[in-house]
């Protein structure tokens, strides 16, 4: 399909045109044997009724469903249960295939839909036990009111399903029915609750970093690994909140009235940049150092931490640290491959992933009231993970409490991000460290803990397989969580070669690996959704946030009360306090000192919600959250006493937003709704601004490479889709990363298909007789390293000052070339390689080069559109679109530098809420409201999204009525 494909119109003329194309396609397919199965009727049968009236069992009154020209529905009811019953019905009308796949994924039942190819994925998901935890939440934790709403929602979904199957539900269901007679089950409340576990999984924090650091020990010393994970640059990139403290069991924001704290300084703190050295303490450092004591030749060096200190492993015994690291190399490589197989519903999990949100006080806006912007960065999906919707009570009463609009998840009641009549809120991932891997000593009768053998908690699971025989598995759980090593042959032998100290328990048949994760404990996050939807002020907003336990999110806030309105922030979430260790590497599960406080070991040990960071109306007049550090942890004045994580995003996007706001408000300037939209589309590259002046000075003799180098002259570092300079720079950046870091990574981190000659592993001397072997990468394209995220910005920023750092060494391209030994030599090689890479991809004529031609977005149906028959992929997928933006840019169209330039995550939606006049708020979705291929609203918003345009967002009854084109009345 052509690039920059326009989203389809909702007009009937456009629908007829598409269906005519489909008739032609189906006629062609008929000659290939598919004609007996497919027809235009098959495609249109699932299109929802959007006008007239329908009877919905269980309703106590009528519900009006008013859709605008983009199919976005606004629901009006007289009581809460009718409102959520109608929400379930409407979600199912437009998105039931998506809902059906999600519930099978969260329950570990994908094999029932797609056959034996999903058995291993199901086994892993069953081992995690999302569905079991969701059931426990529903049975024991959620409020009666929440359960009532969940049941009403499920009743609405089931009302839609009644009497439907196959083509009546979706083209995808029609395809499944043809192959195995699949028929959907009834929807249940727990199906909705389980979706929160999928959210939490994709936003789980630093588990991938924990695995990667362990795997790096195969080739790198601890000092080198520390250089690749530098401390957060507090001196340059502001955290979300600054200078707050915990006093008397409560968090006291800096400068907040009544907090008892004063001052407006940035509080960057001090330190020499060291990490975890000396006397068993663990520091993060804020200076220019990396905590490594200088560069070390890649591939050499000791893994031990000096002086028995608590280093990155968090282990006081060096031998234990080595045992936890070396013994896991092969096994964690296998685990990493398993994780690559798990459907990433929200997106890849890595250092470049994140979201933007910011809110500006009315003091600095053209409206005199706050403006709030949000754009979560998630995996590109078709349909979008979000569904726009309004939920309105015709009249407020104790029986009808909702008047809210925003972004919902199909399959779950309520609004996740949006606004009601009183407040607005947005979310970004906090990135807290809420997962730990534990080595477990396994015996036939159980596992070792505190010098005792403890029986496993076990359960049997049966995995049903479409078209095949059912499979049975046994899930074993320790006090630290389920044994995820049971789901991998290699992980069964974990620790079989690991050196351990005499104090460690006997190895037996090897160590296993358990996962401790906050989301595997039942919680009340579903309660929080409804409380947020009803919140009327900052206090009720914070009360709602207290229940938002997983996934831990940065929540920003705005209201329209008072002269300028109010803006605020709350960090919620269930975040563990560790007895010992910092969660950066796997810990010894047999030692109670490394268990989490709280949870299965007893003592309440999560950070108390009253002590989590928050602020209201900070003196600076704005709040920015973009996955940067929430605050600076430590023991000094103005430091936060708890460790939330040591793996923050590095603040490239957040600081750019800070700078844009400060520039706009300088000299009494004001920010408008359109200014907020423009900021969301900012394409400036921080790493380009750092490296381009250096690249321009490199002496280049090849005329073709010199010609490409000239593209960088006068470039303003913005990554517009038509920019040839952006295309060339990003190709150079990708090749710098490959030469300096990628080729030095262990195979488990390199992208699959990336092969190189390496010395054969041997315990003998490294002499002229050492053999070389061909070694190929094994990591999936979304999680391979180096991915080029802002962690790598920070790595290069620190190393670039040392022109002779060993990281700048590289092997010659041919036997006739000299080895690369300096930064400038490596940069010159990267510029040459980039020139020929772009020649191969875009042609020799530089005048035809553009970033958008390299950096394309293709929207793929998340199941059949990726792995189904080719003709089904053609029918269901859309694109590509040539887009601007890039990695760690405000307009975060992310790409993984190890695997190519294709867009791998996106601003999944964008919104700007105008608290001065809610009807002047704006929003956009990545795709459209419909999940039905060839419906008019399947991808009708995508072209506008790509251009940075926003739709009007009516909220008040009059504005909604004015925008309505279709009205459907649901009746009892």
């Amino acid at each position: 399909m052509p690039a920059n494909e326009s989203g389809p119109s909702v007009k009937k003329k456009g629908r007829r045109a598409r269906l005519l194309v489909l008739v032609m396609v189906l006629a062609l397919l008929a000659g290939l044997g598919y004609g007996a199965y497919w027809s235009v009727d098959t495609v249109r049968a699932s299109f929802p009724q959007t006008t007239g009236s329908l009877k919905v069992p269980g309703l106590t009154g009528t519900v009006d469903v008013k859709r605008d020209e983009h199919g976005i529905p606004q629901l009006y009811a007289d009581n809460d249960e009718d409102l959520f019953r109608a929400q379930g019905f409407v979600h199912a009308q437009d998105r039931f295939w998506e809902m059906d796949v999600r519930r099978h994924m969260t329950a570990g039942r994908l094999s029932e839909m797609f056959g034996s190819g999903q058995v291993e994925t199901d086994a892993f998901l069953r081992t995690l036990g999302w569905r079991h935890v969701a059931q426990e939440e529903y049975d024991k934790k959620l409020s009666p009111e929440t359960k009532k709403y969940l049941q009403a929602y499920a009743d609405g979904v089931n009302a839609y399903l009644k009497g439907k199957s196959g083509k009546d539900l979706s083209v995808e269901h029609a395809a499944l029915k043809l192959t195995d007679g699949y028929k959907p089950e009834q929807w249940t409340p727990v199906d909705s609750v389980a979706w929160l576990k999928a959210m939490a999984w994709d936003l789980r924090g630093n588990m991938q970093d924990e695995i990667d650091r362990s795997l790096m020990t195969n080739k790198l010393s601890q000092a080198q690994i520390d250089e690749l994970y530098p401390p957060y640059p507090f001196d340059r990139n502001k955290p979300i909140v600054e200078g707050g403290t915990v006093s008397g069991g409560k968090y006291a924001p800096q400068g907040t009235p009544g907090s008892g704290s004063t001052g407006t300084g940035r509080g960057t703190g001090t330190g020499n940049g060291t990490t975890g050295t000396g006397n068993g303490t663990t520091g993060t450092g804020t200076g220019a150092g990396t905590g490594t004591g200088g560069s070390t030749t890649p591939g050499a060096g000791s893994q031990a931490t000096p002086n028995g200190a608590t280093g990155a492993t968090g282990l006081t015994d060096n031998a234990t640290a080595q045992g936890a690291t070396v013994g896991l190399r092969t096994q964690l490589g296998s685990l990493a491959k398993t994780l690559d197989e798990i459907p990433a519903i929200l997106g890849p999990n890595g250092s470049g992933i994140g979201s933007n949100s910011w809110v500006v006080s009315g003091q600095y806006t053209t409206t005199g009231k706050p403006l709030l912007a949000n754009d979560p960065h998630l995996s590109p999906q078709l349909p979008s993970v979000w569904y726009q919707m309004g939920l309105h009570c015709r009249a407020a009463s104790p029986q009808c409490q909702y008047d809210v609009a925003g972004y919902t998840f199909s399959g779950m009641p309520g609004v996740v991000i949006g606004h009601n009549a009183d407040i607005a809120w947005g979310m970004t991932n906090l990135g807290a460290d809420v997962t730990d891997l534990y080595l477990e000593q396994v015996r036939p009768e159980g596992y070792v803990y505190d010098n005792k053998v403890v029986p496993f908690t076990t359960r049997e699971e049966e995995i049903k397989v479409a078209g095949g025989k059912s499979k049975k598995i046994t899930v074993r759980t320790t006090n630290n969580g389920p044994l995820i090593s049971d789901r991998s042959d290699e992980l069964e032998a974990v620790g079989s070669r690991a050196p351990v100290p005499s104090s460690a328990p006997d190895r037996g048949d090897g160590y296993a690996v358990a996962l401790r994760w906050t989301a595997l404990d039942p919680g009340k996050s579903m309660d929080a959704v409804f409380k947020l939807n009803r919140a009327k002020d900052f206090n009720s907003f914070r009360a709602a946030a207290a229940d938002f336990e997983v996934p831990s999110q940065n929540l920003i806030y705005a209201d329209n009360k008072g002269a300028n309105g109010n803006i605020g922030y709350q960090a919620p979430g269930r975040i563990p306090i560790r007895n010992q260790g910092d969660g950066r590497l796997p810990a010894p599960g047999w030692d109670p000192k490394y268990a989490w406080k709280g949870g299965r070991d007893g003592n309440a040990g999560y950070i108390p919600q009253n002590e989590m960071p928050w602020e209201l109306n900070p003196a600076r007049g704005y709040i920015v959250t973009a996955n940067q550090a929430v605050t600076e942890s430590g023991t000094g004045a103005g430091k936060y006493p708890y460790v939330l994580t040591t793996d923050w995003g590095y603040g490239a996007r957040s600081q750019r937003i800070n700078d844009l706001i400060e520039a706009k408000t300088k000299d009494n300037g004001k920010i408008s709704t359109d200014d907020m939209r423009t900021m969301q589309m900012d394409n400036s590259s921080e790493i380009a601004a750092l490296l381009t002046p250096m690249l321009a000075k490199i002496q280049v003799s090849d005329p073709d490479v010199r010609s490409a180098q000239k593209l960088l002259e006068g470039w303003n570092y913005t990554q517009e889709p038509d920019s040839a300079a952006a295309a060339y720079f990003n190709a150079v950046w990708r090749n710098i990363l490959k030469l300096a870091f990628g080729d030095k990574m262990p195979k488990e981190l390199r992208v699959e298909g990336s092969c190189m000659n390496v010395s054969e592993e041997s315990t003998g001397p490294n002499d002229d007789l050492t053999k070389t072997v061909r070694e190929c990468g094994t990591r999936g394209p979304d999680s391979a390293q180096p991915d080029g995220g802002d962690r790598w910005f920070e790595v290069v920023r620190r190393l670039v000052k040392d022109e002779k750092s060993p990281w700048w060494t590289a092997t010659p391209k041919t036997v006739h070339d000299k080895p690369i030994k300096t930064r400038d030599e490596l940069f010159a090689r990267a510029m040459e390689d980039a020139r020929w890479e772009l020649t191969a991809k875009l042609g020799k004529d530089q005048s035809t080069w553009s970033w958008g031609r390299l950096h394309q977005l293709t929207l793929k149906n998340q199941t059949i559109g990726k792995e189904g028959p080719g003709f089904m992929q053609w029918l269901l997928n859309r694109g590509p679109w040539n887009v601007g933006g890039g990695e760690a840019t405000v307009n975060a169209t992310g790409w993984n530098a190890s695997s190519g330039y294709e867009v791998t995550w996106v601003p999944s939606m964008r919104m700007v809420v105008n608290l001065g006049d809610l009807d002047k708020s704006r929003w956009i979705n990545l795709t459209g409201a419909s999940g039905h291929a060839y419906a008019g609203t399947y991808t009708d918003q995508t072209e506008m999204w790509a251009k940075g345009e926003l739709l009007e967002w009516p909220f008040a009854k009059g504005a909604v009525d004015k925008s309505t084109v279709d009205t459907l009345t649901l009746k009892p």
Side-chain angles (χ1 to χ4, degrees), residues 697-748:
K697 296 177 182 178
I698 300 294
Q699 296 297 312
V700 175
S701 57
D702 187 298
D704 289 319
V705 179
R706 173 60 184 144
S707 177
Q709 184 185 36
K710 287 183 178 180
L711 292 173
L712 302 179
E713 296 176 1
W715 179 44
N716 63 357
Y717 318 131
T718 60
Q719 302 168 97
E720 300 298 332
D722 61 353
S723 171
Y728 182 57
F729 173 80
N730 282 314
V732 173
W733 170 237
R734 167 171 146 83
N735 280 279
I736 288 174
L737 290 170
K738 178 182 182 297
L739 293 168
F741 309 106
D743 290 348
K744 301 176 179 72
M745 292 285 174
K747 65 180 181 180
E748 294 88 354

Side-chain angles (χ1 to χ4, degrees), residues 474-529:
T474 299
V475 176
R476 301 188 295 174
T477 300
T478 74
N479 66 311
N480 290 313
L483 286 187
I484 55 176
S485 53
D486 285 349
R487 303 282 69 86
S488 163
D489 291 340
E490 287 182 308
L491 281 166
E492 288 180 3
V494 65
S496 60
R497 296 180 300 277
V500 293
S502 58
S503 60
D506 181 69
R507 185 187 314 277
D509 291 330
Y511 298 134
V513 181
L515 172 65
R516 185 79 173 94
W517 178 33
T518 55
L520 298 184
D521 294 331
K524 300 185 291 183
S525 294
M526 198 70 238
D527 284 346
V529 173

Side-chain angles (χ1 to χ4, degrees), residues 576-826:
I577 303 172
R578 293 169 175 84
N579 282 309
Q580 189 165 321
D582 61 9
R584 289 172 60 86
L585 285 174
W590 54 81
D591 190 339
K593 293 193 298 292
Y594 294 93
W596 289 4
K597 292 182 179 179
R600 300 179 180 91
D601 263 292
N603 301 326
Y606 295 112
I607 300 175
Q609 184 61 35
N610 283 342
E611 299 182 17
M612 291 288 286
W614 64 275
E615 64 181 354
L616 178 66
N617 296 326
R620 63 184 174 275
Y622 62 88
I623 301 169
V624 175
T625 82
N627 315 110
Q628 78 272 39
V630 171
T631 187
E632 187 172 3
S633 297
T635 57
K639 301 291 182 66
Y640 187 62
Y642 300 108
V643 175
L644 300 176
T645 186
T646 57
D647 288 308
W648 303 111
Y650 282 79
R653 285 178 290 107
S654 62
Q655 193 55 44
R656 176 62 177 172
I657 296 167
N658 279 318
D659 293 344
L660 290 171
I661 294 173
E662 290 178 2
K664 192 67 181 178
T665 56
K666 186 179 179 181
D667 299 326
N668 298 316
K670 302 288 185 180
I671 293 177
S672 68
T673 300
D674 196 57
D675 290 331
M676 300 283 274
R677 180 198 66 80
T678 300
M679 291 178 192
Q680 289 179 323
M681 294 301 295
D682 182 81
N683 287 329
S684 178
S685 169
E686 178 187 283
I687 194 62
L690 174 69
L691 296 183
T692 298
M694 299 180 189
L695 297 174
K697 296 177 182 178
I698 300 294
Q699 296 297 312
V700 175
S701 57
D702 187 298
D704 289 319
V705 179
R706 173 60 184 144
S707 177
Q709 184 185 36
K710 287 183 178 180
L711 292 173
L712 302 179
E713 296 176 1
W715 179 44
N716 63 357
Y717 318 131
T718 60
Q719 302 168 97
E720 300 298 332
D722 61 353
S723 171
Y728 182 57
F729 173 80
N730 282 314
V732 173
W733 170 237
R734 167 171 146 83
N735 280 279
I736 288 174
L737 290 170
K738 178 182 182 297
L739 293 168
F741 309 106
D743 290 348
K744 301 176 179 72
M745 292 285 174
K747 65 180 181 180
E748 294 88 354
L749 271 69
R750 298 201 312 270
V751 69
E752 48 192 8
S754 171
C755 300
M756 56 190 298
N757 294 324
V758 299
S759 297
E760 186 176 36
E761 288 190 14
S762 171
T763 58
N766 186 11
D767 53 31
D768 290 342
L769 298 182
T770 301
K771 296 179 180 179
T772 60
V773 295
R774 193 71 170 163
E775 181 186 80
C776 297
T778 61
R779 182 64 66 85
D782 287 345
S783 57
Q785 293 295 330
D787 61 16
D790 62 357
R791 172 165 67 87
W792 293 100
F793 290 11
E794 191 65 19
V795 168
V796 170
R797 179 184 293 278
R798 290 166 178 266
L799 292 175
V800 78
K801 300 172 186 177
D802 182 0
E803 296 184 21
K804 296 184 178 181
S805 165
W807 289 106
W808 301 129
T809 62
T811 56
K813 186 181 293 186
T814 71
V815 294
H816 304 292
D817 296 326
K818 294 180 180 179
I820 294 171
K821 296 182 179 180
T822 69
R823 179 197 68 194
D824 287 355
E825 288 174 355
L826 187 140

Side-chain angles (χ1 to χ4, degrees), residues 265-330:
R266 289 191 53 190
T268 58
T270 59
N272 62 9
T274 60
T275 303
T277 56
N279 301 325
T281 61
T282 304
T284 57
T286 61
T290 63
T292 64
S295 299
T296 311
T297 303
S302 169
Q303 297 171 18
T305 307
N307 303 324
T310 303
T313 62
L315 302 177
T316 55
D317 190 308
N318 292 334
T320 305
Q322 291 175 2
T325 303
V326 180
L328 284 175
R329 287 202 311 254
T330 301

Side-chain angles (χ1 to χ4, degrees), residues 728-962:
Y728 182 57
F729 173 80
N730 282 314
V732 173
W733 170 237
R734 167 171 146 83
N735 280 279
I736 288 174
L737 290 170
K738 178 182 182 297
L739 293 168
F741 309 106
D743 290 348
K744 301 176 179 72
M745 292 285 174
K747 65 180 181 180
E748 294 88 354
L749 271 69
R750 298 201 312 270
V751 69
E752 48 192 8
S754 171
C755 300
M756 56 190 298
N757 294 324
V758 299
S759 297
E760 186 176 36
E761 288 190 14
S762 171
T763 58
N766 186 11
D767 53 31
D768 290 342
L769 298 182
T770 301
K771 296 179 180 179
T772 60
V773 295
R774 193 71 170 163
E775 181 186 80
C776 297
T778 61
R779 182 64 66 85
D782 287 345
S783 57
Q785 293 295 330
D787 61 16
D790 62 357
R791 172 165 67 87
W792 293 100
F793 290 11
E794 191 65 19
V795 168
V796 170
R797 179 184 293 278
R798 290 166 178 266
L799 292 175
V800 78
K801 300 172 186 177
D802 182 0
E803 296 184 21
K804 296 184 178 181
S805 165
W807 289 106
W808 301 129
T809 62
T811 56
K813 186 181 293 186
T814 71
V815 294
H816 304 292
D817 296 326
K818 294 180 180 179
I820 294 171
K821 296 182 179 180
T822 69
R823 179 197 68 194
D824 287 355
E825 288 174 355
L826 187 140
F827 282 9
R829 165 76 178 278
M831 294 171 70
E832 178 184 352
D833 290 353
R835 176 41 161 124
W836 303 122
E837 181 185 5
L838 294 197
T839 297
K841 290 180 179 293
L842 303 179
K844 187 173 183 179
D845 184 358
Q846 293 174 194
S847 67
T848 67
W849 289 5
S850 71
W851 175 227
R853 286 182 61 202
L854 274 181
H855 190 52
Q856 293 186 325
L857 168 67
T858 300
L859 294 173
K860 298 179 180 180
N861 178 286
Q862 289 299 288
T863 50
I864 296 176
K866 286 189 173 182
E867 298 181 2
F871 86 96
M872 285 296 294
Q873 293 187 37
W874 191 92
L875 289 173
L876 298 174
N877 298 342
R878 298 292 183 270
W881 283 265
N882 296 345
V883 298
E887 183 71 27
T889 301
V890 179
N891 181 23
T893 55
W895 54 287
N896 188 309
S898 287
S899 54
Y901 305 96
E902 180 183 2
V903 176
T904 56
W905 58 88
V906 294
S908 56
M909 61 80 159
R910 299 186 185 100
M911 75 174 192
V912 179
V913 181
N914 182 337
L915 275 298
D917 185 346
L918 292 172
D919 289 329
K920 292 183 179 178
S921 300
R922 299 291 183 266
W923 61 351
I924 198 76
N925 206 349
L926 173 64
T927 62
S930 181
H932 301 290
Y934 294 94
T937 57
Y938 190 47
T939 55
D940 65 315
Q941 298 185 49
T942 307
E943 184 71 17
M944 293 177 284
W945 173 92
K947 294 177 180 178
E949 299 173 1
L950 299 176
L951 298 174
E952 293 183 357
W953 183 355
F955 180 72
K957 181 67 162 53
V960 170
D961 287 344
K962 186 177 180 180

